[in-house]
Amino acid sequence: MELLFFGHSGRAVIFFPTRMARFYDYENWGIIGSLSQQIENGEIQVFCLDSIDGESFYNDGVFPSVRIDRHLQYEKYILDEVMPFIGQQNNSGYVETAGCSMGAYHAINLAMKYPWLFKKAVGISGRYDLTDNIGDFKDLLSGFHNDEVYFNMPAQYIANLNDDRLLTAVRNMEIILAVGETDPFLSGNQHLSSLLWEKGIPNQFHTWESNAHRPHYWRKMAPMYI
């Protein structure tokens, strides 16, 4: 799979694309440009990944169990290929996940599942339970539910985290959630933040004016939170 990376040193940022977007979209939308000062100063090195959402969660042509299995193959690609590649390019020892919209789901989910690998997770305009029906946004698993679905929906499994090692690792991460005040995912973000606090997991929660679910806003958010 193709990816782009920007920068020569600093914190490594795995930047997940928006819904069915491509690895070059953040650059085309000016979001990488909004991070140019941090990149040029050697503060961050940004790795923009490609998406397979059209083959996984948004693939209505296959049974839901195939959708979640395809997502897990994507996760394996990140762990087995992207992470070693980052290690070859970056020796900071600091890796964070970030993403906007559907990318926020990927960023938060991956960091919650493997918190010992990451120092920080940033979710902007995210949706953290893909099985919810929220306005025009349907349940992406069509009512299907199994353990694999459950353990990939942060808004479901975080409430039941009880492994001390995992909880300690999550508590040691910096977690930032940002969403617009009229974004349909606002209540889901509030719920996730509350779940984290109930588990003693510190997190920052930022509400923006309007829907804030567009590149225009993400260009402002990215330098502040990433």
Side-chain angles (χ1 to χ4, degrees):
M1 293 179 65
E2 295 172 288
L3 58 78
L4 282 171
F5 74 94
F6 304 86
H8 58 277
S9 65
R11 295 176 284 114
V13 181
I14 300 177
F15 206 3
F16 287 95
T18 62
R19 179 179 59 175
M20 292 189 286
R22 301 301 308 277
F23 63 97
Y24 46 74
D25 282 324
Y26 284 135
E27 182 183 25
N28 290 348
W29 295 337
I31 296 169
I32 294 300
S34 75
L35 295 166
S36 61
Q37 184 174 346
Q38 293 101 311
I39 291 171
E40 291 167 6
N41 289 344
E43 298 173 29
I44 58 174
Q45 196 172 23
V46 183
F47 296 79
C48 294
L49 303 193
D50 213 349
S51 163
I52 64 157
D53 295 333
E55 300 175 25
S56 57
F57 294 117
Y58 288 91
N59 187 358
D60 291 336
V62 299
F63 194 73
S65 63
V66 179
R67 296 176 213 166
I68 193 68
D69 285 345
R70 187 60 169 154
H71 165 70
L72 290 173
Q73 290 175 331
Y74 182 62
E75 179 182 281
K76 183 173 173 59
Y77 152 71
I78 296 162
L79 297 174
D80 294 351
E81 297 185 42
V82 174
M83 290 295 287
F85 177 74
I86 289 174
Q88 293 170 6
Q89 306 296 326
N90 186 289
N91 61 5
S92 69
Y94 190 113
V95 184
E96 68 180 85
T97 64
C100 303
S101 190
M102 188 67 173
Y105 158 78
H106 289 295
I108 295 297
N109 185 49
L110 188 71
M112 294 298 106
K113 291 176 69 176
Y114 305 97
W116 54 90
L117 297 177
F118 307 106
K119 304 291 187 183
K120 181 177 177 181
V122 180
I124 298 173
S125 306
R127 177 186 183 187
Y128 304 110
D129 187 346
L130 305 182
T131 68
D132 277 347
N133 285 290
I134 308 170
D136 294 331
F137 297 91
K138 65 179 182 177
D139 171 2
L140 298 183
L141 279 305
S142 307
F144 177 80
H145 205 270
N146 64 4
D147 283 350
E148 290 178 341
V149 173
Y150 171 80
F151 285 111
N152 283 280
M153 300 299 144
Q156 295 184 28
Y157 64 74
I158 285 174
N160 297 309
L161 283 183
N162 54 22
D163 181 282
D164 288 339
R165 175 176 172 263
L166 192 64
L167 280 169
T168 297
V170 175
R171 288 169 183 152
N172 287 334
M173 275 197 305
E174 181 181 2
I175 301 170
I176 299 176
L177 304 174
V179 67
E181 62 186 1
T182 61
D183 191 309
F185 303 147
L186 172 64
S187 61
N189 278 256
Q190 293 169 327
H191 178 61
L192 180 64
S193 179
S194 295
L195 286 177
L196 292 169
W197 281 114
E198 287 169 10
K199 286 294 179 178
I201 301 168
N203 64 95
Q204 300 176 40
F205 183 81
H206 302 279
T207 305
W208 280 62
E209 64 178 359
S210 185
N211 182 277
H213 204 117
R214 294 288 186 274
H216 167 71
Y217 287 95
W218 298 335
R219 285 193 291 270
K220 298 176 183 178
M221 292 175 170
M224 296 176 65
Y225 304 134
I226 292 177

